[in-house]
Amino acid sequence: MKKFLSMMIAALMVASLAACGSTPASSPASESSEASQSSEASESSEVAGDIATAQEGKLVVGTSADFAPYEFHVLKDGKDQIVGFDMALAQAIADDLGLELVIKDMSFDSILIELEAGTIDLGIAGFSPDPERAESVDFSDYYYMGGQCLMIRKADAEKYTSFDSLKGLAVGAQTGSIQEDLAKANAPESNLVSLATIPNVIMELKTGKIEAAFMETVVAEGYLNTQDDLMIALDVPYDVEGSAVAIKKGNDALTAAVNATIKKVLENGDMDKFIQEANALAEEAVS
């Protein structure tokens, strides 16, 4: 079983997304863009002086590194490292603030608890800023937009064609995730099985312990690249189809700094590069 789980974790990868074009360095538009980026970085540095962090001189980020392409483990240069486009964004925020990035890997449902307690500064783990979460923490602007889906085994394609067809059956979702709420809302008469990690959800689906899994579409698509026996059966309706950084409530200076970095990486194309690099690392981990 441990070997099987390892194989499942190794299967984390996603389809590549297209990068935005760039303006030639010699053009006036490029010079204007560079000046704007420099100004934004300067503003972030000034804001950093007003920010109290969990550890002096450091930006402590909580994540759950089982969610490719957002965050996942790879063995690089003989060392276990946490990579993914969320972590690249975290590094960009820390760099703009002139702080050392510290990543704390934990269970997904522990991140917001530690954020409220002040033991971490940011939660970056593909969070959707739903109203319930927004009662306890603040959220940044969106840095990535995506959707939600229902994953099943291909062999059951004709069996599970609607949410109603899951009545009385076991369906899976990650503990503490938006997908738990989506399962309750869309398949209220099914039996929800909450599991600690996405690889656990996939393993339970493949072995028949659950009949379907609620999952973010980009994550599900990554598994479909290597798991020929799985498929996306349905799109799951959801009003908030985007990811944002979670921030301790009331830390307005840090929220402003995070938003400045997000604005910069979206406008200059760095976010697209972060996603492409995460895809390449995921593919390398499987090969």
Side-chain angles (χ1 to χ4, degrees):
M1 186 62 71
K2 289 182 179 179
K3 180 178 179 182
F4 182 74
L5 179 57
S6 297
M7 292 173 62
M8 292 308 306
I9 295 174
L12 292 169
M13 59 183 292
V14 293
S16 297
L17 301 177
C20 296
S22 58
T23 307
S26 59
S27 70
S30 176
E31 291 174 3
S32 175
S33 176
E34 288 174 1
S36 174
Q37 292 167 22
S38 176
S39 175
E40 288 169 1
S42 176
E43 289 174 5
S44 292
S45 296
E46 291 175 4
V47 170
D50 300 326
I51 297 171
T53 55
Q55 298 179 28
E56 186 176 355
K58 298 178 180 180
L59 183 71
V60 185
V61 172
T63 194
S64 181
D66 55 41
F67 199 58
Y70 289 85
E71 46 270 328
F72 56 102
H73 288 268
V74 297
L75 191 64
K76 194 172 183 180
D77 299 326
K79 296 181 180 179
D80 178 59
Q81 296 185 20
I82 298 175
V83 297
F85 65 78
D86 270 359
M87 298 300 94
L89 175 61
Q91 187 64 66
I93 294 168
D95 289 345
D96 284 349
L97 290 171
L99 299 172
E100 177 188 348
L101 176 63
V102 176
I103 300 171
K104 291 184 67 175
D105 190 10
M106 61 190 72
S107 64
F108 183 80
D109 56 335
S110 296
I111 298 173
L112 296 187
I113 295 173
E114 291 214 26
L115 191 60
E116 288 184 76
T119 56
I120 61 176
D121 302 308
L122 302 175
I124 310 185
F127 279 110
S128 297
D130 70 311
E132 184 177 349
R133 286 174 174 168
E135 290 179 2
S136 58
V137 300
D138 289 332
F139 283 99
S140 71
D141 297 334
Y142 290 124
Y143 62 86
Y144 178 77
M145 302 302 292
Q148 307 291 332
C149 72
L150 181 78
M151 180 180 275
I152 64 172
R153 295 179 293 274
K154 273 187 179 179
D156 296 326
E158 296 183 6
K159 188 188 299 185
Y160 304 134
T161 57
S162 68
F163 296 117
D164 288 340
S165 63
L166 298 171
K167 182 178 180 179
L169 302 178
V171 300
Q174 186 177 30
T175 304
S177 69
I178 288 296
Q179 289 75 35
E180 277 189 322
D181 295 332
L182 293 176
K184 294 173 185 176
N186 292 279
E189 296 185 74
S190 65
N191 300 317
L192 176 61
V193 178
S194 297
L195 297 158
T197 69
I198 295 297
N200 286 345
V201 174
I202 293 295
M203 182 174 67
E204 297 285 275
L205 179 59
K206 287 177 68 69
T207 56
K209 293 182 179 178
I210 59 176
E211 297 303 309
F214 285 80
M215 195 171 298
E216 186 158 354
T217 304
V218 68
V219 176
E221 288 173 344
Y223 280 99
L224 297 185
N225 290 329
T226 57
Q227 306 300 311
D228 294 336
D229 56 337
L230 301 179
M231 64 174 285
I232 292 175
L234 299 166
D235 289 329
V236 178
Y238 185 49
D239 293 335
V240 185
E241 294 190 346
S243 297
V245 176
I247 306 158
K248 185 174 175 62
K249 204 160 192 67
N251 196 339
D252 296 338
L254 182 53
T255 300
V258 170
N259 284 336
T261 297
I262 289 173
K263 182 176 185 291
K264 181 182 73 173
V265 299
L266 288 176
E267 290 181 349
N268 69 12
D270 280 351
M271 197 68 223
D272 292 304
K273 293 177 184 177
F274 296 161
I275 293 168
Q276 290 180 338
E277 288 167 1
N279 291 338
L281 286 170
E283 291 171 2
E284 182 181 331
V286 172
S287 62

